[in-house]
Amino acid sequence: MKNPLFIKVHETINNRLERGEYKPGEKLPSIRSLATELNVHRLTVFKAYQLLKENGKVEVKDKSGYYAKGESSILTDLDYPIVTSYIHKSHLSEIHRVHVEFQFSQAVIDPDLLPNQYTSSSAKKVLDLYPKVLSTYSTVQGDRELRESLANYFYEKQKQYITADDVLITTGSQQAIDLIARTFVRNGDHVLIERPTYSPAIDMFRELGARLLPVNITPDGYDMEQLEQFMKEKKPVLFYLNPTFQNPTGYTVPDNQRKQLANLAEKYRVFILEDDPFRDIYFEKKPPLPLFTYDVHGYCLYVRSFSKYIAPGLRISAILCRQPLMEQLLASKSLADNGTPLLNQKMFLHYYASERLQKHIEKLRIALELRKAAMESALEGEDFYWETPDGGLNLWVQIPDSIRMEELLAACLEQSLSFVPGTICDPLKEKENWIRLSYSYLNEKKIVKGIQLFKDILSSLK
Amino acid sequence: MKNPLFIKVHETINNRLERGEYKPGEKLPSIRSLATELNVHRLTVFKAYQLLKENGKVEVKDKSGYYAKGESSILTDLDYPIVTSYIHKSHLSEIHRVHVEFQFSQAVIDPDLLPNQYTSSSAKKVLDLYPKVLSTYSTVQGDRELRESLANYFYEKQKQYITADDVLITTGSQQAIDLIARTFVRNGDHVLIERPTYSPAIDMFRELGARLLPVNITPDGYDMEQLEQFMKEKKPVLFYLNPTFQNPTGYTVPDNQRKQLANLAEKYRVFILEDDPFRDIYFEKKPPLPLFTYDVHGYCLYVRSFSKYIAPGLRISAILCRQPLMEQLLASKSLADNGTPLLNQKMFLHYYASERLQKHIEKLRIALELRKAAMESALEGEDFYWETPDGGLNLWVQIPDSIRMEELLAACLEQSLSFVPGTICDPLKEKENWIRLSYSYLNEKKIVKGIQLFKDILSSLK
């Protein structure tokens, strides 16, 4: 922690180099202009450039300035030691920061598919119903009325025998996963993670210094022998999984594996972090019950997000788990933000408990299935491979081997089209010729136009 | 991380023992009943009890069961090594979980003092103004419109030359402090902290494995020599401070010390985390400018909470800092929750930018000053000592040495009155005969009645 400022400036420039903002051979900003931009002393920038030079990232040419060196890359090595958060980069959020016309990278639902007028008027009713809701804090665990309502919901829909005490309300599922990770994972712990997986989870566990054990997910689920082997030998503390319409693949882990996993978790004392954001977005038939339903020993922490398809602006998710774990999570939640805003919880409660919600979800399923179909037919006729998902928001598509992914991503972003490169979703940073395309944000017409553009860009790179 | 379940059960029981739920000599629940309550196997409870026995916390009597041993205590040792989060306890939040009639422990503002009708109708207008606000995610950094508005506000009110890029919106100031701590503090780092201080900050830095260096705060500010000595010798990474109407003391650090500190921070490369939640709650004259205003080198991270006295239900706060630090914070915020709910930001923006707000704050100042006066005159005539604060929500009161604090707290909670014991606010866990009394939650009548009850309880213990 010596010299924090120049190390931070160093990281800022290094991030830009890795993002490809400065191409190899390109001249970097002068020390003076960078000092002005970053609001630091020129000496600080000088030191940062010196460090970049030592690390072979930049070179000095004839005293005319600093130039970017080597290849640009958004990838890091799996085994790169996580020593400080300065080297942490949430890759996915960096792609999302680019505004594009053809947005296939974010698995979010088109606001036009959501019943905005109805949610607004429902929200207004909440303001009348609880006149002091804007002046009142929530408890750390969350509004009891909402937790009781959710406990009923989970009992009815998913055969989960829980009470309001087993429910913790969080500000979105990202927070839920983060809370669980920071509560139960320590530096050096082994963590099982699907391959590929939700990319911010990789960043998060790495940030905590975890050692990741990748478990392949296929259309048939996991290799259960490999999984048990890992549990036996490496004694992982936790398995992070998203077994239903998995992100990014769309695959669903079969029922029998869920039961097996619940038993393995108990046998090897491994916590199960079951992330379940897409359960309600099924197309033909309902998915298997959550793994949590089969967990009788209290090893499973179930994260359920609703707000993605109900009211993303509210950011309401829930963690379900048994008592001894809940106590620990409450301590973390108390430090993290002292409780999710009460307003959002009450608004969610009243909207989600309404009849209108069920109708909305039914319509939404149809709309999303149509968009998926539009994307699938637009993709046809090329050398692509994918499995049709039974639910969720994404296609996981294999593209020809010959394409260099970084080049493709750069070309697409330049032409205002975004996708998620498979490497980002892979704890091993391989999966070079896979990409995730979300069909939830654009309407059919735009999807068709965008996929055509994508094909054109791809052809131009062959 | 072996045997996680029984260790967790152990912690659950241990927490109850420390909270005094089981008194010394009292019989603990049977293994069978605890197993049912915690939904774990009986063997797990058995192992947990064995561990408690080994640690001298419980004893076995004639095979009739387990009994609590020794003294109950809510205190822990400063040097207790933080190895896992299981031992983490947010003491303050535990006191807050108890519902009492005379609530002097939480520094929150009486909802009746807040303009609930106006905030509600302002909130409804926001729903009309942004019809898709409930369906839209915020960016990680926060709504640009709000950040620009805040940048103007800080420029006009506090002479802080910042842009929207230097502002990060958080879900309350607890999250702001937590984000900064997890981004910049690593296991083993030294952290300067005021003594006494905001108690969750102690928990938070300990949870990260920081070594705390307590800096006394007095009505005249800090001992600047001691502070510089610490910086020189211990090379702390950060100083967490709340220099304006400090929590819990109400003291304000003078202007000249703020300027000095900004320079020391640069000289010794120490980050300054300036927590400033009470700035607008002054009684006679405005407080000195924030330390951040004097920071030209980019070492200060300024945390400003508004929502406490504007609309606590919204939970909106802001971090101000310069670019290289902001990049790191954004990565953490992205992992923590991907951005504060947009709805809350827009509602805050429109209410806080209204003329009505200024009028509200003026009235609020008067109301709080009256409550403070009511509490002060009710306290008179006993052997109490306190400094009259010029702002904020708390009195920091010295009570007679002869009183045993734990006994007092237990007796008060039993009679439905709560306060914060000074030990909780002290990184050294001393300050045995100091307490924090908040005058912001109850009206004058209740304050007078509650303080009388407090005096009666105190007399009964003498």
Side-chain angles (χ1 to χ4, degrees):
Chain A
M1 277 312 308
K2 276 183 200 168
N3 303 323
L5 248 190
F6 95 82
I7 286 178
K8 265 169 227 80
V9 171
H10 166 268
E11 278 305 321
T12 305
I13 309 167
N14 200 30
N15 285 346
R16 292 179 185 180
L17 286 164
E18 293 195 351
R19 275 200 300 269
E21 282 185 31
Y22 311 127
K23 300 277 173 295
E26 192 182 325
K27 192 176 178 186
L28 298 181
S30 71
I31 287 179
R32 181 185 296 268
S33 68
L34 207 55
T36 309
E37 181 198 335
L38 301 178
N39 196 20
V40 295
H41 197 278
R42 271 172 280 165
L43 195 61
T44 308
V45 177
F46 175 75
K47 282 190 198 165
Y49 271 161
Q50 288 303 108
L51 186 56
L52 285 162
K53 205 181 103 188
E54 278 167 34
N55 295 337
K57 300 291 181 79
V58 306
E59 54 189 336
V60 187
K61 281 185 189 166
D62 304 329
K63 295 186 179 170
S64 71
Y66 294 86
Y67 290 80
K69 218 174 138 180
E71 291 181 56
S72 69
S73 161
I74 55 162
L75 314 176
T76 62
D77 190 302
L78 173 67
D79 295 311
Y80 196 94
I82 304 294
V83 282
T84 79
S85 75
Y86 303 133
I87 63 157
H88 162 77
K89 288 175 287 294
S90 186
H91 306 302
L92 194 58
S93 72
E94 280 170 22
I95 294 178
H96 292 166
R97 276 197 224 171
V98 184
H99 286 278
V100 295
E101 189 184 351
F102 300 103
Q103 203 283 88
F104 296 130
S105 64
Q106 285 200 67
V108 297
I109 290 174
D110 182 358
D112 286 343
L113 289 184
L114 300 172
N116 298 295
Q117 270 202 313
Y118 179 75
T119 43
S120 272
S121 71
S122 165
K124 285 179 193 167
K125 278 183 205 146
V126 166
L127 289 163
D128 291 330
L129 207 55
Y130 308 93
K132 292 183 188 173
V133 67
L134 285 163
S135 305
T136 312
Y137 289 103
S138 166
T139 58
V140 171
Q141 188 161 3
D143 180 51
R144 177 160 282 275
E145 198 184 0
L146 174 57
R147 287 187 286 119
E148 275 168 3
S149 166
L150 284 174
N152 281 336
Y153 174 93
F154 287 121
Y155 173 71
E156 281 171 22
K157 296 264 181 180
Q158 298 173 198
K159 298 186 190 162
Q160 290 163 341
Y161 298 87
I162 54 161
T163 71
D165 291 339
D166 305 325
V167 181
L168 168 64
I169 306 299
T170 66
T171 313
S173 58
Q174 177 75 28
Q175 184 184 56
I177 299 165
D178 184 54
L179 281 179
I180 293 170
R182 68 191 278 188
T183 307
F184 298 108
V185 177
R186 291 288 164 264
N187 190 29
D189 281 346
H190 279 105
V191 167
L192 291 160
I193 194 161
E194 291 168 327
R195 177 180 187 225
T197 187
Y198 172 59
S199 105
I202 303 175
D203 299 335
M204 192 181 304
F205 291 119
R206 286 246 175 87
E207 157 111 347
L208 289 166
R211 284 177 283 182
L212 299 181
L213 301 171
V215 177
N216 288 329
I217 180 164
T218 70
D220 303 320
Y222 311 118
D223 177 341
M224 294 303 287
E225 277 179 31
Q226 185 206 19
L227 199 46
E228 181 160 7
Q229 194 74 4
F230 270 147
M231 288 186 178
K232 205 179 211 162
E233 284 176 9
K234 302 286 187 180
K235 306 200 188 321
V237 62
L238 183 141
F239 182 12
Y240 169 73
L241 69 171
N242 169 208
T244 307
F245 315 134
Q246 199 250 8
N247 179 3
T249 62
Y251 306 156
T252 292
V253 173
D255 207 42
N256 64 326
Q257 290 200 352
R258 291 170 190 241
K259 289 174 191 165
Q260 261 182 281
L261 250 171
N263 289 328
L264 287 179
E266 198 265 335
K267 183 169 176 191
Y268 297 103
R269 302 178 184 284
V270 179
F271 292 130
I272 299 287
L273 198 182
E274 182 178 18
D275 188 10
D276 201 11
F278 304 124
R279 170 157 298 272
D280 279 341
I281 312 291
Y282 57 86
F283 298 136
E284 302 300 329
K285 62 175 179 123
K286 287 187 185 176
L289 286 172
L291 201 150
F292 183 79
T293 306
Y294 303 120
D295 171 49
V296 291
H297 303 286
Y299 280 88
C300 187
L301 299 121
Y302 180 74
V303 172
R304 181 59 177 276
S305 148
F306 300 88
S307 62
K308 216 182 234 307
Y309 53 91
I310 293 181
L314 292 181
R315 311 275 294 124
I316 294 294
S317 294
I319 301 177
L320 272 52
C321 67
R322 304 300 175 182
Q323 263 329 293
L325 305 187
M326 181 58 81
E327 277 295 311
Q328 311 306 322
L329 284 179
L330 285 176
S332 295
K333 174 72 176 165
S334 162
L335 292 185
D337 67 5
N338 242 325
T340 291
L342 185 60
L343 174 73
N344 303 244
Q345 297 185 60
K346 289 294 194 191
M347 285 186 171
F348 177 81
L349 168 70
H350 284 266
Y351 175 48
Y352 126 101
S354 71
E355 234 181 86
R356 173 76 183 238
L357 174 72
Q358 282 312 313
K359 286 187 196 151
H360 155 59
I361 295 184
E362 274 163 41
K363 277 201 246 171
L364 186 62
R365 280 184 201 116
I366 297 167
L368 288 171
E369 194 172 4
L370 289 173
R371 288 179 180 205
K372 183 193 73 157
M375 184 177 273
E376 290 189 304
S377 69
L379 282 169
E380 265 166 29
E382 291 276 335
D383 197 8
F384 295 139
Y385 163 79
W386 71 94
E387 287 275 331
T388 296
D390 297 326
L393 312 177
N394 306 304
L395 289 189
W396 178 242
V397 181
Q398 193 174 25
I399 61 169
D401 260 344
S402 54
I403 300 297
R404 281 198 60 229
M405 186 59 77
E406 291 156 44
E407 236 174 277
L408 177 65
L409 180 61
C412 283
L413 289 174
E414 202 165 297
Q415 300 216 34
S416 207
L417 186 151
S418 65
F419 64 85
V420 175
T423 37
I424 285 183
C425 307
D426 182 5
L428 298 179
K429 299 291 170 202
E430 297 171 1
K431 300 272 178 203
E432 282 277 4
N433 60 331
W434 290 84
I435 62 174
R436 190 190 79 174
L437 294 170
S438 300
Y439 46 77
S440 55
Y441 192 73
L442 301 177
N443 63 31
E444 288 96 310
K445 210 173 141 189
K446 277 228 149 190
I447 286 177
V448 171
K449 215 172 145 192
I451 295 297
Q452 190 52 55
L453 174 62
F454 177 72
K455 285 171 157 181
D456 293 345
I457 295 170
L458 206 69
S459 305
S460 75
L461 294 177
K462 270 180 184 167
Chain B
M1 275 314 305
K2 277 183 204 167
N3 305 324
L5 247 189
F6 96 81
I7 286 177
K8 263 167 230 79
V9 172
H10 166 268
E11 278 306 321
T12 305
I13 309 166
N14 200 30
N15 285 346
R16 292 180 186 179
L17 285 165
E18 293 196 351
R19 275 202 299 271
E21 283 184 29
Y22 311 127
K23 300 281 174 293
E26 190 181 327
K27 192 176 178 187
L28 299 181
S30 72
I31 287 180
R32 182 186 296 268
S33 69
L34 207 55
T36 309
E37 181 198 335
L38 302 177
N39 195 21
V40 295
H41 197 280
R42 271 173 279 163
L43 195 61
T44 309
V45 177
F46 175 75
K47 282 191 199 165
Y49 270 161
Q50 288 302 107
L51 187 56
L52 285 162
K53 204 181 101 187
E54 279 169 32
N55 295 338
K57 299 294 181 75
V58 306
E59 55 190 336
V60 187
K61 279 187 192 165
D62 304 329
K63 293 185 181 172
S64 72
Y66 293 87
Y67 290 79
K69 216 175 138 179
E71 292 181 54
S72 69
S73 161
I74 57 162
L75 314 177
T76 63
D77 190 302
L78 173 68
D79 294 311
Y80 197 95
I82 303 296
V83 282
T84 80
S85 74
Y86 304 132
I87 62 157
H88 163 75
K89 288 174 290 292
S90 186
H91 306 302
L92 194 56
S93 71
E94 280 170 22
I95 295 178
H96 291 165
R97 277 197 224 170
V98 184
H99 286 280
V100 294
E101 188 185 351
F102 299 103
Q103 202 282 90
F104 296 130
S105 65
Q106 284 199 70
V108 297
I109 290 174
D110 183 358
D112 286 341
L113 289 185
L114 300 172
N116 298 295
Q117 271 205 312
Y118 180 75
T119 44
S120 273
S121 72
S122 166
K124 287 179 192 167
K125 278 184 204 144
V126 166
L127 290 163
D128 292 329
L129 207 54
Y130 308 93
K132 292 184 189 172
V133 67
L134 285 163
S135 306
T136 312
Y137 289 103
S138 166
T139 58
V140 172
Q141 188 160 4
D143 180 52
R144 177 160 283 275
E145 199 185 357
L146 175 57
R147 287 186 286 119
E148 274 168 4
S149 165
L150 283 174
N152 282 336
Y153 174 93
F154 287 121
Y155 173 71
E156 281 171 21
K157 296 264 180 180
Q158 299 172 201
K159 298 186 191 162
Q160 290 163 339
Y161 298 88
I162 54 159
T163 70
D165 291 339
D166 305 323
V167 181
L168 168 63
I169 306 299
T170 65
T171 312
S173 59
Q174 177 77 27
Q175 184 184 58
I177 299 165
D178 183 55
L179 281 179
I180 293 170
R182 69 191 278 188
T183 307
F184 298 109
V185 177
R186 290 288 164 264
N187 190 29
D189 281 347
H190 279 105
V191 167
L192 291 161
I193 195 161
E194 290 169 328
R195 178 181 186 223
T197 187
Y198 172 59
S199 104
I202 302 175
D203 299 334
M204 191 180 307
F205 290 119
R206 286 245 177 87
E207 158 111 346
L208 289 166
R211 285 177 283 184
L212 299 181
L213 302 171
V215 177
N216 289 328
I217 179 164
T218 70
D220 303 322
Y222 312 117
D223 176 342
M224 295 303 287
E225 276 179 32
Q226 183 206 20
L227 199 46
E228 180 159 7
Q229 195 73 4
F230 270 147
M231 289 187 177
K232 205 180 208 162
E233 284 175 8
K234 302 287 186 179
K235 305 201 188 323
V237 61
L238 183 139
F239 182 12
Y240 169 73
L241 69 171
N242 170 209
T244 306
F245 314 135
Q246 201 250 6
N247 179 2
T249 62
Y251 305 157
T252 293
V253 174
D255 208 45
N256 63 327
Q257 290 199 351
R258 292 168 190 244
K259 289 175 191 165
Q260 260 181 285
L261 250 172
N263 289 328
L264 287 179
E266 198 264 337
K267 184 170 174 189
Y268 296 103
R269 301 177 184 285
V270 178
F271 292 130
I272 299 287
L273 198 182
E274 182 178 18
D275 188 10
D276 201 10
F278 305 125
R279 171 157 297 273
D280 280 340
I281 312 292
Y282 57 86
F283 298 137
E284 301 300 329
K285 62 176 180 124
K286 288 188 184 178
L289 285 172
L291 201 152
F292 184 80
T293 306
Y294 303 120
D295 169 50
V296 291
H297 303 287
Y299 280 87
C300 188
L301 298 120
Y302 180 73
V303 172
R304 181 59 177 278
S305 148
F306 300 89
S307 61
K308 215 182 236 306
Y309 52 92
I310 292 180
L314 291 180
R315 312 276 293 127
I316 294 295
S317 294
I319 301 176
L320 273 52
C321 68
R322 304 301 176 181
Q323 261 331 291
L325 304 187
M326 181 58 80
E327 277 294 313
Q328 311 305 324
L329 285 179
L330 285 176
S332 294
K333 173 73 175 165
S334 163
L335 292 186
D337 68 4
N338 243 324
T340 291
L342 186 60
L343 173 74
N344 304 244
Q345 298 184 59
K346 290 294 192 191
M347 284 185 172
F348 176 82
L349 168 71
H350 285 267
Y351 174 50
Y352 126 100
S354 72
E355 232 180 88
R356 173 76 185 238
L357 173 72
Q358 280 314 312
K359 285 186 198 152
H360 155 58
I361 294 184
E362 272 163 43
K363 277 201 245 169
L364 186 62
R365 279 184 202 117
I366 296 167
L368 288 171
E369 193 170 4
L370 288 173
R371 290 180 179 204
K372 183 192 73 158
M375 185 177 273
E376 290 189 304
S377 69
L379 283 169
E380 265 168 30
E382 292 276 336
D383 197 10
F384 297 138
Y385 163 79
W386 71 93
E387 286 275 329
T388 296
D390 296 326
L393 312 178
N394 306 305
L395 288 190
W396 179 241
V397 181
Q398 193 173 25
I399 62 170
D401 260 344
S402 54
I403 301 295
R404 280 198 60 229
M405 185 60 76
E406 291 156 44
E407 236 174 277
L408 178 64
L409 181 61
C412 283
L413 289 175
E414 203 166 298
Q415 300 215 35
S416 208
L417 186 150
S418 65
F419 64 85
V420 174
T423 37
I424 285 185
C425 309
D426 182 5
L428 297 180
K429 299 289 171 205
E430 296 170 2
K431 300 271 176 204
E432 284 276 6
N433 61 332
W434 290 83
I435 62 174
R436 190 190 81 174
L437 294 170
S438 299
Y439 46 78
S440 54
Y441 192 73
L442 300 177
N443 63 32
E444 287 95 311
K445 210 173 141 188
K446 279 227 148 191
I447 287 178
V448 171
K449 216 173 144 191
I451 294 297
Q452 190 52 53
L453 175 63
F454 178 73
K455 285 173 159 180
D456 293 345
I457 296 170
L458 207 68
S459 304
S460 74
L461 295 176
K462 268 181 190 168

